[in-house]
Short mmCIF file of all heavy atoms in Angstrom, two decimals:
data_model
loop_
_atom_site.label_atom_id
_atom_site.label_comp_id
_atom_site.label_asym_id
_atom_site.label_seq_id
_atom_site.Cartn_x
_atom_site.Cartn_y
_atom_site.Cartn_z
N ARG M 1 143.93 149.18 25.62
CA ARG M 1 144.90 148.63 26.57
C ARG M 1 146.26 148.46 25.90
O ARG M 1 146.35 147.96 24.77
CB ARG M 1 144.39 147.30 27.12
CG ARG M 1 143.11 147.47 27.97
CD ARG M 1 142.40 146.15 28.20
NE ARG M 1 141.24 146.28 29.07
CZ ARG M 1 140.04 146.71 28.66
NH1 ARG M 1 139.87 147.07 27.39
NH2 ARG M 1 139.04 146.79 29.50
N HIS M 2 147.31 148.85 26.62
CA HIS M 2 148.68 148.74 26.13
C HIS M 2 149.51 148.09 27.23
O HIS M 2 150.19 148.77 28.00
CB HIS M 2 149.26 150.12 25.78
CG HIS M 2 148.34 151.00 25.00
ND1 HIS M 2 148.07 150.81 23.66
CD2 HIS M 2 147.60 152.07 25.39
CE1 HIS M 2 147.22 151.74 23.25
NE2 HIS M 2 146.91 152.51 24.28
N GLY M 3 149.43 146.77 27.33
CA GLY M 3 150.10 146.08 28.42
C GLY M 3 149.45 146.43 29.74
O GLY M 3 148.28 146.16 29.97
N ARG M 4 150.24 147.09 30.63
CA ARG M 4 149.72 147.46 31.94
C ARG M 4 149.15 148.87 31.96
O ARG M 4 148.69 149.34 32.99
CB ARG M 4 150.82 147.34 32.99
CG ARG M 4 151.28 145.91 33.21
CD ARG M 4 152.22 145.84 34.40
NE ARG M 4 152.60 144.46 34.70
CZ ARG M 4 153.35 144.10 35.74
NH1 ARG M 4 153.79 145.04 36.58
NH2 ARG M 4 153.66 142.85 35.94
N THR M 5 149.20 149.56 30.84
CA THR M 5 148.65 150.91 30.75
C THR M 5 147.46 150.92 29.80
O THR M 5 147.17 149.93 29.13
CB THR M 5 149.72 151.91 30.26
OG1 THR M 5 150.10 151.54 28.92
CG2 THR M 5 150.94 151.89 31.17
N PHE M 6 146.79 152.04 29.75
CA PHE M 6 145.63 152.16 28.87
C PHE M 6 145.39 153.63 28.54
O PHE M 6 145.87 154.52 29.24
CB PHE M 6 144.36 151.57 29.51
CG PHE M 6 143.92 152.29 30.76
CD1 PHE M 6 143.10 153.42 30.68
CD2 PHE M 6 144.32 151.84 32.01
CE1 PHE M 6 142.71 154.08 31.82
CE2 PHE M 6 143.92 152.52 33.16
CZ PHE M 6 143.11 153.64 33.07
N THR M 7 144.66 153.87 27.47
CA THR M 7 144.15 155.20 27.14
C THR M 7 142.64 155.07 26.98
O THR M 7 142.12 153.99 26.66
CB THR M 7 144.76 155.76 25.85
OG1 THR M 7 144.52 154.83 24.77
CG2 THR M 7 146.25 155.99 26.01
N VAL M 8 141.95 156.16 27.23
CA VAL M 8 140.50 156.17 27.13
C VAL M 8 140.11 156.51 25.69
O VAL M 8 140.59 157.50 25.14
CB VAL M 8 139.88 157.18 28.10
CG1 VAL M 8 138.35 157.13 28.06
CG2 VAL M 8 140.37 156.93 29.53
N THR M 9 139.28 155.69 25.07
CA THR M 9 138.84 155.94 23.70
C THR M 9 137.85 157.11 23.67
O THR M 9 137.38 157.57 24.71
CB THR M 9 138.16 154.70 23.11
OG1 THR M 9 136.93 154.45 23.83
CG2 THR M 9 139.05 153.47 23.20
N ALA M 10 137.54 157.57 22.47
CA ALA M 10 136.55 158.65 22.34
C ALA M 10 135.21 158.21 22.91
O ALA M 10 134.51 158.97 23.59
CB ALA M 10 136.41 159.05 20.87
N ALA M 11 134.85 156.95 22.66
CA ALA M 11 133.60 156.41 23.21
C ALA M 11 133.68 156.36 24.74
O ALA M 11 132.70 156.65 25.44
CB ALA M 11 133.32 155.02 22.65
N GLY M 12 134.87 156.01 25.25
CA GLY M 12 135.06 155.96 26.70
C GLY M 12 134.95 157.33 27.35
O GLY M 12 134.39 157.47 28.43
N GLN M 13 135.49 158.35 26.68
CA GLN M 13 135.39 159.71 27.21
C GLN M 13 133.94 160.17 27.25
O GLN M 13 133.50 160.81 28.23
CB GLN M 13 136.23 160.64 26.34
CG GLN M 13 137.72 160.39 26.44
CD GLN M 13 138.52 161.18 25.43
OE1 GLN M 13 137.96 161.96 24.66
NE2 GLN M 13 139.83 160.99 25.41
N TYR M 14 133.19 159.84 26.21
CA TYR M 14 131.76 160.19 26.18
C TYR M 14 131.02 159.46 27.30
O TYR M 14 130.23 160.06 28.04
CB TYR M 14 131.17 159.81 24.82
CG TYR M 14 129.67 159.99 24.73
CD1 TYR M 14 129.12 161.22 24.39
CD2 TYR M 14 128.80 158.93 24.99
CE1 TYR M 14 127.75 161.39 24.31
CE2 TYR M 14 127.43 159.09 24.91
CZ TYR M 14 126.90 160.32 24.56
OH TYR M 14 125.55 160.49 24.49
N PHE M 15 131.31 158.17 27.46
CA PHE M 15 130.62 157.37 28.48
C PHE M 15 130.99 157.85 29.87
O PHE M 15 130.15 157.88 30.78
CB PHE M 15 130.99 155.89 28.31
CG PHE M 15 130.13 154.96 29.09
CD1 PHE M 15 128.87 154.59 28.63
CD2 PHE M 15 130.57 154.44 30.30
CE1 PHE M 15 128.07 153.73 29.36
CE2 PHE M 15 129.77 153.58 31.03
CZ PHE M 15 128.52 153.22 30.56
N TYR M 16 132.25 158.26 30.04
CA TYR M 16 132.70 158.75 31.35
C TYR M 16 131.95 160.02 31.74
O TYR M 16 131.43 160.13 32.85
CB TYR M 16 134.21 159.02 31.29
CG TYR M 16 134.73 159.81 32.48
CD1 TYR M 16 134.89 159.21 33.72
CD2 TYR M 16 135.04 161.16 32.34
CE1 TYR M 16 135.36 159.93 34.80
CE2 TYR M 16 135.51 161.89 33.42
CZ TYR M 16 135.67 161.28 34.65
OH TYR M 16 136.13 161.99 35.72
N ARG M 17 131.88 161.01 30.80
CA ARG M 17 131.21 162.27 31.11
C ARG M 17 129.76 162.06 31.48
O ARG M 17 129.27 162.58 32.50
CB ARG M 17 131.31 163.23 29.92
CG ARG M 17 132.70 163.77 29.65
CD ARG M 17 132.64 164.96 28.71
NE ARG M 17 131.96 164.63 27.45
CZ ARG M 17 132.56 164.13 26.39
NH1 ARG M 17 133.87 163.88 26.42
NH2 ARG M 17 131.88 163.88 25.28
N HIS M 18 129.05 161.33 30.68
CA HIS M 18 127.62 161.15 30.93
C HIS M 18 127.36 160.12 32.03
O HIS M 18 126.31 160.19 32.70
CB HIS M 18 126.92 160.76 29.63
CG HIS M 18 126.93 161.86 28.60
ND1 HIS M 18 126.05 162.92 28.64
CD2 HIS M 18 127.75 162.08 27.55
CE1 HIS M 18 126.31 163.74 27.64
NE2 HIS M 18 127.33 163.26 26.96
N GLY M 19 128.30 159.20 32.22
CA GLY M 19 128.16 158.25 33.31
C GLY M 19 128.23 158.94 34.66
O GLY M 19 127.49 158.58 35.60
N LYS M 20 129.09 159.95 34.77
CA LYS M 20 129.17 160.71 36.02
C LYS M 20 127.85 161.42 36.31
O LYS M 20 127.38 161.45 37.45
CB LYS M 20 130.31 161.72 35.96
CG LYS M 20 131.69 161.12 36.03
CD LYS M 20 132.76 162.17 36.29
CE LYS M 20 132.68 162.73 37.67
NZ LYS M 20 133.79 163.64 37.99
N ASP M 21 127.27 162.01 35.27
CA ASP M 21 125.96 162.68 35.46
C ASP M 21 124.91 161.68 35.91
O ASP M 21 124.06 161.99 36.76
CB ASP M 21 125.53 163.34 34.14
CG ASP M 21 126.40 164.51 33.75
OD1 ASP M 21 127.06 165.07 34.64
OD2 ASP M 21 126.42 164.86 32.56
N LEU M 22 124.97 160.48 35.34
CA LEU M 22 124.00 159.44 35.70
C LEU M 22 124.14 159.04 37.16
O LEU M 22 123.15 158.89 37.88
CB LEU M 22 124.17 158.22 34.79
CG LEU M 22 123.27 157.02 35.10
CD1 LEU M 22 121.81 157.38 34.93
CD2 LEU M 22 123.64 155.84 34.22
N LEU M 23 125.37 158.89 37.62
CA LEU M 23 125.59 158.51 39.02
C LEU M 23 125.07 159.57 39.97
O LEU M 23 124.52 159.25 41.02
CB LEU M 23 127.08 158.26 39.26
CG LEU M 23 127.70 157.04 38.58
CD1 LEU M 23 129.13 156.85 39.05
CD2 LEU M 23 126.89 155.77 38.86
N VAL M 24 125.28 160.84 39.62
CA VAL M 24 124.76 161.93 40.45
C VAL M 24 123.24 161.85 40.52
O VAL M 24 122.64 162.00 41.59
CB VAL M 24 125.21 163.30 39.90
CG1 VAL M 24 124.47 164.43 40.60
CG2 VAL M 24 126.71 163.47 40.07
N SER M 25 122.60 161.59 39.37
CA SER M 25 121.14 161.51 39.33
C SER M 25 120.63 160.33 40.15
O SER M 25 119.63 160.44 40.88
CB SER M 25 120.66 161.38 37.88
OG SER M 25 121.00 162.52 37.13
N VAL M 26 121.33 159.20 40.06
CA VAL M 26 120.93 158.02 40.82
C VAL M 26 121.10 158.27 42.32
O VAL M 26 120.24 157.91 43.14
CB VAL M 26 121.74 156.78 40.37
CG1 VAL M 26 121.49 155.60 41.31
CG2 VAL M 26 121.37 156.40 38.95
N ASP M 27 122.22 158.90 42.69
CA ASP M 27 122.46 159.21 44.09
C ASP M 27 121.39 160.16 44.63
O ASP M 27 120.90 160.00 45.75
CB ASP M 27 123.85 159.84 44.24
CG ASP M 27 124.21 160.08 45.70
OD1 ASP M 27 124.22 159.12 46.48
OD2 ASP M 27 124.48 161.25 46.05
N PHE M 28 121.02 161.15 43.81
CA PHE M 28 119.95 162.08 44.17
C PHE M 28 118.64 161.34 44.37
O PHE M 28 117.89 161.59 45.33
CB PHE M 28 119.81 163.13 43.07
CG PHE M 28 118.72 164.14 43.30
CD1 PHE M 28 118.91 165.20 44.16
CD2 PHE M 28 117.50 164.01 42.65
CE1 PHE M 28 117.91 166.13 44.37
CE2 PHE M 28 116.49 164.94 42.86
CZ PHE M 28 116.70 166.00 43.72
N LEU M 29 118.34 160.39 43.47
CA LEU M 29 117.11 159.61 43.57
C LEU M 29 117.09 158.77 44.84
O LEU M 29 116.08 158.70 45.54
CB LEU M 29 116.99 158.71 42.34
CG LEU M 29 115.82 157.72 42.32
CD1 LEU M 29 114.48 158.46 42.33
CD2 LEU M 29 115.91 156.81 41.10
N ILE M 30 118.23 158.16 45.16
CA ILE M 30 118.31 157.32 46.34
C ILE M 30 118.09 158.15 47.61
O ILE M 30 117.30 157.78 48.49
CB ILE M 30 119.67 156.60 46.39
CG1 ILE M 30 119.75 155.55 45.27
CG2 ILE M 30 119.88 155.93 47.75
CD1 ILE M 30 121.12 154.94 45.10
#
């Protein structure tokens, strides 16, 4: 976080990519 802006960390980029896959899988399950 940089005041009112932010950048995504390397860990955040990893979590974002795989988090999207997880949401698709959960939606498919539902």
Side-chain angles (χ1 to χ4, degrees):
R1 295 164 176 81
H2 314 286
R4 294 188 176 184
T5 64
F6 64 86
T7 56
V8 184
T9 66
Q13 292 172 1
Y14 174 85
F15 193 80
Y16 168 75
R17 290 195 304 272
H18 293 280
K20 287 193 70 173
D21 292 338
L22 177 62
L23 292 186
V24 170
S25 297
V26 171
D27 185 58
F28 179 79
L29 175 63
I30 291 171

